[in-house]
Amino acid sequence: MKTFAGSILFLDRSDINTDEIIPAKYLTEITKDALKPYLLEDLRLGSFDPAKDIEGKSVVVSRANFGCGSSREHAPWALEVNGINLVIAESFARIFRQNMYNCGMMAVELPAGGIDLLFKKFAGTGARLETDLKNSKFILTSETEKEETAFSISGFDRDLIEAGGWLGFAESRY
Amino acid sequence: MAKTIVEKIFDAHRVEELSGGIHVLRLDAVFAHEVTTSVAVNELAALGKDKVFDASKIKAVIDHVTPAKDSKTAQQGKILRDWAKRNSINDFFDIGRNGVCHALFPEKGFVRPGYTIIMGDSHTCTHGAFGAFAAGVGTTDLEVGILKGVCAFRTPETIRFNITGALREGVFAKDVILSIIGKIGVNGATNKIMEFTGPLIDSLSMESRMTLCNMAIEAGGTSGICYPDMTTVDYLWPFIKDTYSSKEEALADYTKWISDHDAHYDDVVDIDVSSLEPVTTFGYKPDNIKTVREMDGTHIDQIYIGSCTNGRIEDLRIAAGILKGKKIAGNVRGIVSPATPDIFKRALSEGLIDIFMDSGFVVTNPTCGACLGMSNGVLAEGEAAASTTNRNFNGRMGKGGMVHLMSPATAAATALAGSITNSSLFKG
């Protein structure tokens, strides 16, 4: 099972799409590792600089409809090879969300108010996040703040995380 | 219990229902192209699982970059080609027979009412035009589809779009779907089926229904879907004439899929298109919609007519009708890409290719290339395209480029004017 903890990359915009996460021109790569330098290359968002701001991050927190657009699993892979296995957002595009769990990664929805709170309290603070999967809660800590946030995931999604993804689950069942 | 068309298709294909409303469905077809499938092929081979659940149900094409533009794309094509050969996938379409997947596979008769179809491509929703449940998936879903012939989906919730009124001259299915996306937003149908019904849909060709369903994903929809009717039967007849004794018998069989009149919908949206004008996009999201009138005069560098949205024969006829005997403006480059070899040949025999070339367009072979900035028409930084494609994300057709989505009629008129303009067909 993958780990779901570490420093947080805050991306404060809705509708961050797959072409921003990994542009189509890199879909000619046939290994996941080759995608590593290109994560979020086309995202224009305030002072965000992918060359500086991704290094050392393990969790993404964003707004609504994260991962909309293409079916490319290269989007989760580009996150995965950069050490990011967890995205928390107000909502996700269907295919992106399924691709995350299919890879044994997590895409967790929180209500808009909950996401707002995380941005207000922790964005720009160098905060860390731990995942208590057993009790379905995230623990966020910065130098001055601590916050526990409950989340819910379905039994199926939990099975996929534990099986390391859909291929492992399907192999054992069909 | 009354059911929607997609609920009926789920019932007929359910392998099991898992907790949390997850339905594992048996698949009638798995479609594959070189960009997303080559990774799946390599992964499966590395796991010692280089096999397929049923070679006759897998259809594969090299379409995204073809002919290969460099060593990497050549390698992707080779992986798919070798895999198809090893696994006896007979419906494999290579150079000379290949075209844009969502135009090619329907044309070959691979899509039927009531089918379940997945592909590692988000515009797989196109095939809902035939009354099939067709959804784009990622590489892992594709791997499991290839190996086991199953895929998991949530309980389908459906938004029904009841579309009435007649389209004015110069207004097309592309304008209808762009205006719907503009109305409900890029997140408006996430995790939902978009069921297109009503008198307008009944009057549309299969090509126009495919244009409509193609862009369901741009509103977040799992699939678009139309009811099968005599238009569907007519399109499919060459492929089903040995199965049914008459078209009426085929229609009677397909009608079983149509939603019950008292089926439950998550939402019902009534749309009257009588006053709809030609529309286009202005930003980096497909729901950034304005009328062409409002965008009149917007600078354009390149015109692109093609893709799984609008690269079919009907589209080329409309565009050529506007371009005939005229020259495109000196400040624009025109590119037309017939979506399949068959469409290309028909366009040749109908004289459409002559019209495009005489007006100053270049004609490319069938490929997805330019639509996603991979080949055959990539934009330079700061350039803008008038494009009949489906997606205008930042960088989509080239880093730093802007894409204005529109109908083939508006694109052709824009080519002549050199900036965004209403087509001569539109008298509004």
Side-chain angles (χ1 to χ4, degrees):
Chain A
M1 201 169 81
K2 297 188 186 312
T3 56
F4 307 100
S7 296
I8 305 168
L9 174 62
F10 285 90
L11 300 175
D12 194 1
R13 208 197 77 199
S14 289
D15 305 319
I16 289 178
N17 65 58
T18 49
D19 287 60
E20 289 170 315
I21 299 169
I22 185 80
K25 63 187 172 191
Y26 303 120
L27 305 186
T28 59
E29 301 294 346
I30 51 173
T31 67
K32 295 179 184 180
D33 282 329
L35 302 173
K36 189 164 191 253
Y38 311 121
L39 177 65
L40 295 168
E41 183 184 272
D42 275 350
L43 180 66
R44 290 184 199 165
L45 182 59
S47 63
F48 173 72
D49 178 356
K52 294 178 189 153
D53 297 338
I54 294 172
E55 181 74 34
K57 303 297 196 302
S58 305
V59 178
V60 167
V61 174
S62 190
R63 302 281 183 177
N65 199 30
F66 188 88
C68 60
S70 156
S71 66
R72 64 190 68 158
E73 206 159 298
H74 305 68
W77 298 337
L79 292 166
E80 183 184 14
V81 295
N82 277 282
I84 299 169
N85 294 324
L86 167 63
V87 181
I88 302 168
E90 190 185 323
S91 62
F92 293 92
R94 179 191 67 87
I95 306 175
F96 176 84
R97 184 188 182 286
Q98 194 58 50
N99 286 345
M100 289 287 283
Y101 286 101
N102 281 352
C103 292
M105 300 160 76
M106 287 176 75
V108 179
E109 292 100 346
L110 291 180
I115 293 288
D116 248 350
L117 185 78
L118 299 190
F119 272 97
K120 279 186 185 137
K121 276 194 170 176
F122 297 103
T125 67
R128 278 186 58 84
L129 178 146
E130 303 291 329
T131 301
D132 181 347
L133 195 55
K134 187 160 166 269
N135 297 304
S136 298
K137 63 181 182 184
F138 297 126
I139 304 108
L140 289 91
T141 48
S142 67
E143 280 187 18
T144 55
E145 299 278 356
K146 180 166 185 183
E147 182 78 25
E148 287 196 3
T149 305
F151 64 86
S152 66
I153 62 168
S154 72
F156 178 59
D157 290 341
R158 200 177 280 273
D159 287 344
L160 293 183
I161 296 166
E162 285 168 5
W166 170 232
L167 188 61
F169 181 87
E171 271 293 347
S172 68
R173 205 163 173 110
Y174 305 110
Chain B
M1 201 181 92
K3 292 185 190 302
T4 64
I5 180 168
V6 170
E7 286 169 342
K8 291 183 186 186
I9 296 172
F10 270 45
D11 283 353
H13 293 82
R14 191 177 292 101
V15 175
E16 67 171 329
E17 184 172 351
L18 302 172
S19 68
I22 303 295
H23 306 258
V24 179
L25 305 183
R26 177 177 53 78
L27 299 171
D28 292 311
V30 176
F31 294 162
H33 65 57
E34 84 277 17
V35 166
T36 51
T37 312
S38 55
V39 186
V41 166
N42 278 355
E43 287 206 338
L44 290 176
L47 294 167
K49 300 179 193 302
D50 185 17
K51 56 189 178 187
V52 300
F53 82 106
D54 183 342
S56 71
K57 291 182 176 168
I58 296 180
K59 318 292 176 185
V61 63
I62 298 175
D63 63 356
H64 272 53
V65 183
T66 180
K69 64 173 179 175
D70 55 19
S71 300
K72 283 181 177 173
T73 52
Q75 183 64 22
Q76 280 189 320
K78 180 173 163 45
I79 291 168
L80 196 75
R81 186 179 298 122
D82 292 350
W83 168 74
K85 193 171 182 188
R86 279 199 310 277
N87 288 287
S88 306
I89 296 167
N90 294 326
D91 291 317
F92 168 63
F93 298 86
D94 207 336
I95 286 179
R97 301 172 66 222
N98 61 352
V100 177
C101 51
H102 307 307
L104 183 73
F105 292 150
E107 188 184 282
K108 296 295 175 189
F110 297 155
V111 183
R112 305 289 169 80
Y115 265 24
T116 50
I117 301 170
I118 63 165
M119 182 175 195
D121 190 285
S122 61
H123 295 107
T124 306
C125 49
T126 309
H127 308 291
F130 292 81
F133 173 73
V137 298
T139 294
T140 303
D141 272 335
L142 189 67
E143 288 174 10
V144 172
I146 287 167
L147 267 184
K148 305 283 182 183
V150 299
C151 194
F153 291 95
R154 288 187 188 184
T155 302
E157 292 178 9
T158 300
I159 305 174
R160 182 178 166 199
F161 294 86
N162 182 40
I163 307 179
T164 57
L167 291 172
R168 292 198 273 176
E169 200 184 348
V171 184
F172 298 93
K174 182 63 162 286
D175 300 299
V176 174
I177 188 62
L178 283 172
S179 66
I180 289 174
I181 296 163
K183 183 184 169 90
I184 69 174
V186 293
N187 202 8
T190 300
N191 284 315
K192 308 247 167 79
I193 310 296
M194 298 173 76
E195 187 180 297
F196 300 111
T197 66
L200 178 79
I201 308 302
D202 297 342
S203 73
L204 293 179
S205 65
M206 290 313 298
E207 283 86 352
S208 287
R209 293 180 196 182
M210 284 190 259
T211 300
L212 205 61
C213 290
N214 174 270
M215 293 193 69
I217 183 67
E218 307 310 331
T222 302
S223 189
I225 198 161
C226 300
Y227 298 158
D229 61 6
M230 196 45 99
T231 305
T232 321
V233 172
D234 284 339
Y235 185 101
L236 290 174
W237 188 244
F239 310 104
I240 60 174
K241 60 182 167 44
D242 296 333
T243 310
Y244 299 102
S245 63
S246 67
K247 288 184 176 180
E248 288 68 29
E249 188 190 320
L251 180 62
D253 185 28
Y254 291 158
T255 300
K256 69 183 178 221
W257 298 111
I258 293 175
S259 298
D260 297 325
H261 67 92
D262 51 348
H264 170 78
Y265 289 97
D266 197 57
D267 198 4
V268 178
V269 181
D270 291 310
I271 294 171
D272 180 352
V273 297
S274 311
S275 59
L276 184 65
E277 289 185 38
V279 294
T280 183
T281 58
F282 61 87
Y284 294 122
K285 296 198 302 171
D287 62 359
N288 293 156
I289 303 293
K290 283 186 180 174
T291 61
V292 172
R293 188 169 40 82
E294 291 171 288
M295 293 288 282
D296 189 68
T298 303
H299 175 81
I300 292 296
D301 299 288
Q302 178 172 296
I303 314 294
Y304 183 70
I305 298 175
S307 86
C308 56
T309 321
N310 282 121
R312 298 184 181 83
I313 191 69
E314 176 180 288
D315 305 311
L316 302 193
R317 284 176 188 146
I318 291 165
I322 289 165
L323 295 169
K324 189 172 185 178
K326 301 193 172 85
K327 297 279 183 200
I328 65 173
N331 64 300
V332 294
R333 312 180 293 268
I335 301 171
V336 58
S337 182
T340 70
D342 187 55
I343 293 166
F344 202 138
K345 283 168 71 177
R346 287 167 75 179
L348 263 177
S349 67
E350 292 179 21
L352 309 182
I353 298 298
D354 278 344
I355 294 172
F356 280 111
M357 294 186 74
D358 290 346
S359 75
F361 269 75
V362 69
V363 184
T364 83
N365 63 295
T367 177
C368 309
C371 169
L372 69 168
M374 289 189 88
S375 66
N376 282 31
V378 180
L379 297 177
E381 182 105 31
E383 287 191 326
S387 179
T388 68
T389 55
N390 44 43
R391 206 164 263 165
N392 57 343
F393 295 163
N394 185 13
R396 174 74 176 180
M397 291 183 82
K399 195 175 180 73
M402 167 64 77
V403 181
H404 300 286
L405 305 174
M406 58 182 67
S407 73
T410 305
T414 297
L416 297 177
S419 59
I420 292 182
T421 192
N422 262 320
S423 79
S424 51
L425 298 176
F426 182 65
K427 313 291 186 202

